[in-house]
C-alpha cells in the first residue's frame, strides 16, 4: 500500500475554493437597477440545424448572455467596472435586438435562402429576458449555371486548369455568398503563386441572377484587367538585399557587406551572422516567378531559427524597365546574442519540502551559424518529513543535473542531405548530460548520457526524430546498511537495478503526426510513437572479441557490463471540438520495454513509472503499481523495513494509461487571463514482465487487466495567459488496485472519509505503520484520496 500525508485542512480549503468558483449560485441580477433587464437566453427557431450555431454569432455581443462565472467575478472584483475583471452584465437593448435580427436575416439569406425573413420577440420574467428569433426560410436557391468572363488569356488558361480543384461554386450546388468569397480568395492566391505580384481581390467580381421562378441562380464570374492594360503582368525575382541590424534595431556604423552571388547582397550591422544563415532559408531565387507562398515560407523559416527577434515579410520593388522583375529586400532584427535565465521553486508534497534552483545560459549564434548553445545547471533538494530544520542530516534526497545542447538549424552528417526546410527547420542536436542523485540511507547514482539527434519534417504534419548514437553510462553505490537489508528481503533484482554499473549504446527513433494542430480547436488525431533499441552493437563486438563475463554471466565491454534492450511507447490522442472553446480529448499511452541478450532486466532509466501531473493524476509520481502490488502485505509486521524503503520507486516494464478530459471556458477575463476548466478520468497502471519476487502480484496478465487497473477522477482550473498555461488539478483515487475485489472502489466505499479520519484510514495507517512517536501514536502512511497537481502547460 502506498499513500502519503497531506493536511486535511489544506485540502479542504482548496476544494472549497474550487467548488465556490465552479458552483457559484449567487443572484445574477443583484448588480442591476429595477428598470433594467438582464439577457439570459437566446432562442432561435425555424432555422436549418446546420446553421443554428453560426447564427448565434450574428447576435450582437452586447446582447449575448453572460457566462455566470464571468458575471459573478465582475460583481465580486471589478468595483463597478473600474477594474477589468469578468464581464459587465448584458442588458436588454431593443435597438441592438433589431440590429441582431437584421444581421441574422442577412446571414440566412447569404446561405442560399434568398427570401428568408426573421422576426424577434422578447420574454421577460423577474428582470431576466429571453430573446426569441423566429425564421421563415423559404425555398433554398441552387446554382443553375456558371459562366466566366476573363479577357486575359493567360489568366483564363490558369483559372480553367485549376478551377475544379479550388472552386466551391458548382452547378446544382447550394448558392451562398461564402462560396463566392472563397472562390475570390482562392483566385487571388492562385494569381499570387504564379507571378502576378500586382493582382488584387478587387479584380474578381461576381454577378448573379435570381429572377427565375424555380429557385435557381445563374452566376457570372469576371476577372478584370488593370485599367488601360490588355493583360496582367507576371513578375520574376531579380536581386535580393539582406540587411541585419544590430540587436537594438539600429543600422548605423560600419557593416559587414558582401556580394554573395549574382542575386544576394548581404549587409550585417550586427557582425554576427554568416550569409548562409539567411540565404539557406530564402526560398525565392533569381529568375523564378514571384510566389506569395515562398514569400511566407521565407519569413516563417527565418523566424523558426530562434535567433531573430523580428522577421517581417520581404518587400519588393519593381524595376523601372519593362522586364517585369522584382528586387527583394529582407530586413531582420536579431535577438540578443546571450541570455541567462534563473528559475526556482519551492517544493511541498506530502509533508516533505525542499527547493529546486536552475540556471540556463544560451548562446544564440555560436560560430556565426545560428547554432544555439544551451548550458543548463539544476540543483534540487528535499528534506525529511516533519523536520523544521534544513541541515545536511535532514536531507531526504538531492540531485545535481548539468547538461549542454548544441543545436544546428540543418542536418550535419558525413553524407550529403538536401536542406529539408520546406515544411520546417531541420535540426542537428549534440547533447551531453550528467546527473548525480543521492537518496538518504539508500543509494548514490551517477549517469552520463551523450547523443546526436536529427529532426526533420517530411510534411507539415509529419516530424521524424532520429538518434543514431546514444551512449549511456550509469553507476550506483548503495549504502552498506541498505545493501544488507535489501539482501535480507531477497531484493537482489532491485540491488542490480539501482546499484550496478552499466554501459550501453543505442539508437532511437520518434515519429510525430499532427503536432501542428495541438493548439487548435479542430477535430484531429495526434500520434507520437518512439522506439529505443540498445546494446546490439556492443553485443556484436563483445561476442566477436570474446570479452570476459561478470559473476552473473553478463558480457563486459571496456571493463563494464552493458545493457541490451528494446523499448517502444505510443501516445495516441483524439481531439474533438464541441463548439467555441469546448473540447473533448481521449488519450491512450501504451509502452513496453524488453531486456534480452546480455540483460535480464531494464536499467533504471528505461523502466516505466506511473503517477504524476500528466499521467495518473490521483497518484504521486512513481508511487503507482506495479499491478496489484500491496506494500502493506509485502512488509507485513516489519516496521523497520517499511520505514527504510518508504520512498522506493515503483516501476514496471509495461505501461498502459488511458485518459479522457473535457475542457471548457469559465471566465474570459480573470485578472488578465482566461480561466478554463477541465473534468477528467484517468485509468491505467504499470506492470512487470513476468512474476518477480520483489513485486508480488505486479506481473501483467490479460485475465487480471481490469482488476489491476487504477482509476482516478478529478477536475481542475487552467489559467491561460496566451504565452503559457498555469494549471491546478484536483484528482481523486476512484479505484485503487493495491486492494482486492470490491474494496478497490475506495471513493464509493469510503467517501465519508474523504476529508476526515475513520475506520478505513485508521486501519490503513496501522497496516502501513513505520513506527510510533514520543506519545505512543502510530506513525506511518495515512491514506490520501486527493492529490493536487500544480503545473505549467496542459497535461496532453
Amino acid at each position: 500500500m502506498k499513500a502519503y500525508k497531506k493536511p486535511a485542512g489544506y485540502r479542504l480549503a482548496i476544494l472549497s475554493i474550487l467548488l465556490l468558483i465552479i458552483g457559484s449560485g449567487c443572484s445574477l441580477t443583484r448588480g442591476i437597477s429595477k428598470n433594467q433587464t438582464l439577457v439570459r437566453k437566446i432562442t432561435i427557431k425555424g432555422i436549418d440545424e446546420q446553421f443554428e450555431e453560426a447564427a448565434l454569432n450574428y447576435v450582437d455581443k452586447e446582447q449575448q448572455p453572460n457566462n455566470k462565472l464571468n458575471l459573478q467575478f465582475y460583481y465580486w472584483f471589478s468595483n463597478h467596472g473600474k477594474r477589468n475583471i469578468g464581464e459587465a452584465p448584458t442588458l436588454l437593448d431593443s435597438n441592438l435586438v433589431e440590429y441582431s435580427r437584421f444581421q441574422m436575416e442577412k446571414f440566412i439569406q447569404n446561405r442560399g435562402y434568398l427570401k428568408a425573413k426573421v422576426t424577434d420577440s422578447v420574454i421577460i420574467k423577474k428582470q431576466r429576458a429571453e430573446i426569441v428569433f423566429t425564421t421563415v426560410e423559404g425555398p433554398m436557391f441552387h446554382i443553375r449555371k456558371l459562366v466566366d468572363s476573363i479577357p486575359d488569356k493567360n489568366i483564363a488558361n490558369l483559372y480553367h486548369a485549376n478551377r475544379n480543384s479550388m472552386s466551391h461554386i458548382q452547378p446544382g450546388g447550394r448558392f451562398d455568398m461564402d462560396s463566392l468569397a472563397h472562390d475570390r480568395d482562392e483566385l487571388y492566391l492562385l494569381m499570387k503563386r504564379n507571378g502576378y505580384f500586382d493582382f488584387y481581390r478587387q479584380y474578381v467580381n461576381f454577378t448573379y441572377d435570381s429572377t427565375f421562378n424555380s429557385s435557381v441562380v445563374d452566376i457570372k464570374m469576371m476577372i478584370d484587367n488593370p485599367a488601360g492594360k490588355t493583360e496582367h503582368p507576371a513578375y520574376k525575382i531579380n536581386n535580393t538585399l539582406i540587411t541585419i541590424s544590430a540587436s537594438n534595431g539600429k543600422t548605423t556604423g560600419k557593416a559587414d557587406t558582401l556580394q554573395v552571388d549574382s542575386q544576394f547582397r548581404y549587409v550585417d550591422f550586427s557582425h554576427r551572422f554568416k550569409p548562409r544563415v539567411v540565404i539557406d532559408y530564402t526560398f525565392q531565387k533569381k529568375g523564378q516567378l514571384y510566389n506569395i507562398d515562398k514569400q511566407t515560407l521565407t519569413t516563417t523559416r527565418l523566424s523558426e531559427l530562434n535567433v531573430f527577434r523580428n522577421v517581417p515579410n520581404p518587400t519588393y520593388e519593381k524595376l523601372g524597365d519593362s522586364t517585369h522583375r522584382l528586387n527583394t529586400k529582407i530586413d531582420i532584427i536579431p535577438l540578443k546574442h546571450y541570455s541567462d535565465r534563473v528559475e526556482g521553486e519551492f517544493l511541498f508534497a506530502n509533508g516533505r519540502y525542499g527547493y529546486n534552483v536552475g540556471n540556463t545560459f544560451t548562446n544564440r549564434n555560436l560560430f556565426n551559424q545560428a547554432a544555439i548553445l544551451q548550458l543548463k545547471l539544476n540543483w534540487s533538494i528535499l528534506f525529511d518529513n516533519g523536520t523544521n530544520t534544513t541541515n545536511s542530516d535532514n536531507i531526504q534526497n538531492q540531485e545535481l543535473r548539468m547538461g549542454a545542447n548544441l543545436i544546428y538549424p540543418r542536418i550535419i552528417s558525413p553524407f550529403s542531405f538536401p536542406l529539408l526546410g520546406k515544411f520546417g527547420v531541420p535540426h542537428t542536436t549534440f547533447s551531453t548530460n550528467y546527473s548525480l542523485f543521492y537518496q538518504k540511507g539508500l543509494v548514490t547514482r551517477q549517469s552520463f548520457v551523450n547523443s546526436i539527434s536529427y529532426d526533420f519534417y517530411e510534411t507539415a504534419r509529419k516530424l521524424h526524430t532520429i538518434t543514431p548514437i546514444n551512449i549511456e553510462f550509469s553507476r550506483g553505490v548503495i549504502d552498506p546498511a541498505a545493501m544488507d537489508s535489501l539482501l535480507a528481503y531477497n531484493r537482489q533484482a532491485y540491488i542490480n537495478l539501482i546499484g550496478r554499473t552499466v554501459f550501453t549504446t543505442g539508437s532511437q527513433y520518434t515519429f510525430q503526426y499532427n503536432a501542428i494542430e495541438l493548439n487548435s480547436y479542430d477535430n484531429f488525431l495526434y500520434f507520437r510513437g518512439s522506439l529505443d533499441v540498445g546494446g546490439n552493437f556492443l553485443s556484436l563486438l563483445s561476442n566477436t572479441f570474446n570479452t570476459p563475463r561478470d559473476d552473473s554471466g553478463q558480457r563486459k565491454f571496456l571493463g563494464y557490463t552493458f545493457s541490451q534492450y528494446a523499448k517502444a511507447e505510443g501516445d495516441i490522442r483524439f481531439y474533438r471540438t464541441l463548439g467555441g472553446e469546448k473540447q473533448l480529448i481521449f488519450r491512450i499511452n501504451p509502452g513496453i520495454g524488453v531486456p534480452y541478450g546480455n540483460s535480464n532486466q531494464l536499467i533504471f532509466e528505461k523502466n516505466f513509472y506511473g503517477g504524476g501531473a500528466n499521467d495518473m493524476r490521483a497518484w504521486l509520481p512513481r508511487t503507482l503499481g506495479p499491478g496489484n502490488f500491496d506494500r502493506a502485505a509485502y512488509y507485513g509486521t516489519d516496521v523497520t523495513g517499511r520505514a527504510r524503503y518508504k520512498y522506493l520507486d515503483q516501476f514496471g516494464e509495461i505501461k498502459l494509461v488511458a485518459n479522457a478530459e473535457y475542457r471548457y471556458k469559465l471566465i474570459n477575463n480573470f485578472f488578465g487571463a482566461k480561466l478554463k476548466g477541465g473534468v477528467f478520468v484517468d485509468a491505467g497502471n504499470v506492470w512487470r514482465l513476468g512474476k518477480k519476487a520483489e513485486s508480488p502480484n505486479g506481473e501483467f496478465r490479460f485475465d487480471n487487466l481490469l482488476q489491476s487497473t487504477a482509476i482516478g477522477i478529478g477536475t481542475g482550473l487552467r489559467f491561460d495567459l496566451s504565452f503559457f498555461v498555469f494549471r491546478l488539478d484536483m484528482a481523486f483515487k476512484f479505484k485503487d488496485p493495491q486492494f482486492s475485489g470490491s474494496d478497490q472502489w475506495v471513493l464509493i466505499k469510503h467517501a465519508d472519509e474523504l476529508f476526515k479520519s475513520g475506520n478505513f484510514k485508521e486501519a490503513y495507517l496501522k497496516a502501513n505503520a513505520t513506527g510510533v512517536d514520543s506519545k505512543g501514536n502510530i506513525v506511518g502512511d495515512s491514506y490520501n484520496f486527493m492529490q493536487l497537481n500544480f503545473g505549467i502547460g496542459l497535461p496532453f
Side-chain angles (χ1 to χ4, degrees):
M1 296 183 180
K2 303 171 289 296
Y4 300 94
K5 294 181 179 179
K6 185 180 287 292
Y10 172 64
R11 299 197 302 268
L12 184 59
I14 295 181
L15 176 62
S16 300
I17 293 171
L18 290 172
L19 292 178
L20 175 65
I21 293 175
I22 294 172
S24 175
C26 298
S27 172
L28 299 177
T29 59
R30 70 183 188 275
I32 64 176
S33 61
K34 292 183 178 180
N35 63 342
Q36 294 176 320
T37 303
L38 188 71
V39 177
R40 288 307 304 147
K41 187 176 181 181
I42 302 292
T43 301
I44 299 177
K45 298 180 179 179
I47 194 172
D48 192 319
E49 287 185 2
Q50 65 177 314
F51 303 132
E52 187 171 344
E53 185 174 340
L56 282 171
N57 296 326
Y58 288 86
V59 178
D60 190 274
K61 289 184 178 180
E62 295 187 19
Q63 296 297 281
Q64 297 275 5
N66 294 103
N67 175 283
K68 288 184 179 180
L69 281 177
N70 286 340
L71 184 57
Q72 295 292 8
F73 272 87
Y74 178 85
Y75 289 153
W76 291 337
F77 303 117
S78 74
N79 192 16
H80 303 289
K82 294 180 181 178
R83 301 190 190 98
N84 187 23
I85 301 174
E87 291 179 357
T90 298
L91 301 177
L92 182 66
D93 185 325
S94 59
N95 291 327
L96 293 179
V97 172
E98 167 58 22
Y99 176 74
S100 300
R101 183 208 63 78
F102 173 77
Q103 291 294 105
M104 192 177 299
E105 184 176 87
K106 185 177 178 181
F107 162 72
I108 298 170
Q109 290 172 352
N110 286 341
R111 301 284 78 73
Y113 297 96
L114 299 183
K115 297 181 179 181
K117 297 294 181 184
V118 177
T119 59
D120 63 77
S121 60
V122 179
I123 303 171
I124 300 175
K125 292 181 180 180
K126 297 181 180 180
Q127 290 186 272
R128 302 185 184 205
E130 177 186 1
I131 305 175
V132 181
F133 296 97
T134 303
T135 302
V136 179
E137 290 182 329
M140 177 186 285
F141 282 69
H142 292 81
I143 300 169
R144 186 177 72 168
K145 185 171 59 174
L146 171 65
V147 297
D148 59 72
S149 174
I150 310 174
D152 187 325
K153 298 304 180 184
N154 291 326
I155 288 183
N157 292 335
L158 185 61
Y159 166 69
H160 289 134
N162 291 273
R163 181 189 176 283
N164 290 336
S165 62
M166 72 179 188
S167 178
H168 281 186
I169 304 173
Q170 300 295 340
R174 176 171 55 85
F175 171 78
D176 75 63
M177 301 302 292
D178 281 352
S179 293
L180 303 186
H182 171 271
D183 276 31
R184 179 181 286 112
D185 288 341
E186 287 298 307
L187 276 165
Y188 168 79
L189 291 175
L190 179 65
M191 299 303 117
K192 289 285 190 176
R193 289 165 180 153
N194 287 274
Y196 294 100
F197 173 74
D198 271 342
F199 194 89
Y200 300 101
R201 288 179 177 84
Q202 289 84 345
Y203 289 126
V204 182
N205 293 287
F206 294 92
T207 61
Y208 61 91
D209 184 357
S210 60
T211 59
F212 308 98
N213 294 324
S214 52
S215 303
V216 294
V217 175
D218 287 349
I219 300 176
K220 184 177 182 179
M221 190 274 293
M222 298 167 289
I223 301 180
D224 298 328
N225 282 335
K229 295 183 179 180
T230 59
E231 63 179 9
H232 289 263
Y235 288 84
K236 291 185 177 181
I237 299 299
N238 188 44
N239 296 329
T240 301
L241 172 63
I242 298 170
T243 302
I244 301 178
S245 71
S247 58
N248 59 8
K250 295 182 178 180
T251 54
T252 56
K254 186 177 179 180
D256 294 335
T257 303
L258 179 66
Q259 184 68 42
V260 179
D261 55 26
S262 62
Q263 176 183 355
F264 291 100
R265 182 172 178 79
Y266 179 76
V267 180
D268 182 8
F269 288 91
S270 71
H271 310 287
R272 288 168 44 193
F273 298 93
K274 292 183 178 179
R276 68 168 296 185
V277 171
V278 180
I279 291 173
D280 279 354
Y281 292 102
T282 302
F283 291 90
Q284 296 197 120
K285 303 302 183 182
K286 191 169 186 176
Q288 295 178 348
L289 286 172
Y290 164 79
N291 186 329
I292 193 173
D293 286 349
K294 290 185 177 181
Q295 171 186 326
T296 303
L297 187 63
T298 296
T299 302
T300 302
R301 295 295 170 265
L302 290 176
S303 298
E304 288 175 358
L305 292 175
N306 292 323
V307 295
F308 300 124
R309 176 161 57 94
N310 187 22
V311 186
N313 279 327
T315 58
Y316 302 91
E317 180 181 351
K318 302 174 190 174
L319 270 66
D321 54 26
S322 60
T323 57
H324 298 144
R325 290 180 295 168
L326 298 172
N327 282 337
T328 308
K329 187 177 181 183
I330 301 175
D331 296 311
I332 304 174
I333 301 176
L335 287 165
K336 291 183 178 180
H337 195 167
Y338 305 105
S339 68
D340 193 71
R341 184 177 73 249
V342 178
E343 299 174 318
E345 59 182 348
F346 174 74
L347 308 174
F348 179 82
N350 306 295
R352 294 181 290 171
Y353 60 94
Y355 309 93
N356 186 5
V357 180
N359 186 84
T360 302
F361 170 80
T362 302
N363 180 334
R364 288 194 176 88
N365 189 34
L366 195 67
F367 310 128
N368 293 342
Q369 295 184 24
I372 295 176
L373 174 66
Q374 290 183 332
L375 302 177
K376 297 183 178 182
L377 178 66
N378 183 274
W379 178 55
S380 59
I381 184 169
L382 198 63
F383 296 95
D384 278 337
N385 285 18
T387 58
N388 295 315
T389 58
T390 57
N391 58 61
S392 59
D393 292 335
N394 297 313
I395 293 175
Q396 175 61 41
N397 61 58
Q398 58 181 320
E399 184 175 16
L400 175 68
R401 296 191 299 271
M402 297 182 290
N405 294 319
L406 178 58
I407 307 169
Y408 279 90
R410 59 185 60 87
I411 300 297
I412 297 177
S413 167
F415 311 103
S416 178
F417 278 89
L419 182 61
L420 302 175
K422 182 178 180 180
F423 301 105
V425 174
H427 297 98
T428 301
T429 302
F430 300 91
S431 178
T432 181
N433 293 277
Y434 172 78
S435 171
L436 175 63
F437 175 80
Y438 162 80
Q439 184 164 332
K440 181 181 179 181
L442 182 60
V443 68
T444 300
R445 283 187 59 82
Q446 298 179 74
S447 65
F448 191 47
V449 182
N450 298 276
S451 65
I452 301 175
S453 296
Y454 303 101
D455 63 73
F456 60 91
Y457 287 87
E458 178 188 347
T459 70
R461 297 179 182 274
K462 298 178 181 179
L463 173 63
H464 302 268
T465 302
I466 300 173
T467 303
I469 302 174
N470 186 72
I471 303 172
E472 300 185 34
F473 176 86
S474 61
R475 175 167 57 192
V477 179
I478 301 177
D479 180 270
M483 174 72 81
D484 294 339
S485 179
L486 287 168
L487 288 172
Y489 285 112
N490 193 30
R491 302 203 67 167
Q492 184 62 49
Y494 196 80
I495 292 173
N496 293 339
L497 182 72
I498 66 173
R500 296 190 72 180
T501 298
V502 179
F503 170 67
T504 192
T505 63
S507 299
Q508 300 165 358
Y509 169 71
T510 300
F511 172 73
Q512 286 190 76
Y513 176 73
N514 256 350
I516 192 174
E517 298 282 3
L518 286 177
N519 293 321
S520 75
Y521 287 96
D522 294 331
N523 295 325
F524 64 95
L525 165 72
Y526 168 82
F527 173 78
R528 184 181 188 275
S530 63
L531 178 64
D532 183 359
V533 179
N536 293 337
F537 179 67
L538 295 181
S539 177
L540 176 64
L541 291 179
S542 64
N543 288 325
T544 300
F545 295 103
N546 195 26
T547 61
R549 300 177 184 268
D550 67 3
D551 294 340
S552 62
Q554 289 184 287
R555 290 279 191 184
K556 291 183 177 182
F557 188 80
L558 300 179
Y560 299 105
T561 57
F562 60 89
S563 178
Q564 203 170 355
Y565 65 91
K567 180 181 178 182
E569 186 173 6
D571 184 348
I572 308 165
R573 309 177 199 171
F574 302 90
Y575 290 79
R576 292 294 177 265
T577 182
L578 302 176
E581 296 184 37
K582 298 188 291 291
Q583 197 174 36
L584 186 62
I585 304 99
F586 297 97
R587 177 195 188 211
I588 303 173
N589 180 204
I592 183 170
V594 180
Y596 63 91
N598 203 52
S599 300
N600 54 20
Q601 67 181 123
L602 295 175
I603 61 176
F604 184 83
E605 290 77 11
K606 299 298 180 181
N607 280 281
F608 294 104
Y609 302 90
N614 302 321
D615 193 72
M616 296 293 298
R617 283 166 277 189
W619 282 263
L620 283 168
R622 300 177 178 240
T623 64
L624 175 61
N628 293 117
F629 177 69
D630 185 339
R631 191 165 178 265
Y634 181 78
Y635 289 102
T637 59
D638 185 359
V639 174
T640 302
R642 183 180 295 110
R644 176 182 288 274
Y645 303 118
K646 181 178 180 179
Y647 300 117
L648 288 187
D649 294 322
Q650 304 302 324
F651 61 91
E653 295 89 355
I654 297 175
K655 174 185 179 180
L656 180 60
V657 172
N659 312 89
E661 181 164 307
Y662 171 62
R663 298 171 185 165
Y664 54 94
K665 183 175 68 176
L666 288 170
I667 300 174
N668 274 325
N669 187 354
F670 181 73
F671 296 94
K674 279 187 179 181
L675 180 61
K676 299 180 180 180
V679 179
F680 54 84
V681 178
D682 304 324
N685 206 335
V686 296
W687 292 266
R688 302 300 306 273
L689 268 175
K691 293 184 178 182
K692 308 293 181 183
E694 70 273 14
S695 304
N697 300 317
E699 72 275 9
F700 180 84
R701 303 197 320 267
F702 282 105
D703 62 354
N704 192 46
L705 181 60
L706 294 179
Q707 182 72 10
S708 59
T709 295
I711 300 177
I713 62 174
T715 185
L717 299 174
R718 288 90 165 93
F719 303 86
D720 189 348
L721 299 175
S722 296
F723 49 93
F724 75 90
V725 176
F726 173 73
R727 172 167 53 97
L728 168 62
D729 283 335
M730 178 176 59
F732 299 89
K733 295 180 178 71
F734 190 78
K735 178 179 179 289
D736 194 336
Q738 66 177 305
F739 303 109
S740 300
S742 63
D743 290 335
Q744 291 187 340
W745 303 93
V746 289
L747 195 59
I748 295 176
K749 296 196 67 172
H750 307 293
D752 57 325
E753 296 187 38
L754 194 59
F755 297 111
K756 67 177 183 179
S757 184
N759 294 334
F760 169 69
K761 286 187 175 179
E762 289 174 1
Y764 188 92
L765 177 61
K766 184 177 180 180
N768 288 273
T770 57
V772 294
D773 62 17
S774 59
K775 297 181 181 180
N777 298 317
I778 295 175
V779 177
D781 298 340
S782 60
Y783 195 80
N784 178 22
F785 284 94
M786 188 181 79
Q787 175 62 36
L788 291 173
N789 296 299
F790 301 86
I792 294 178
L794 295 172
F796 45 82

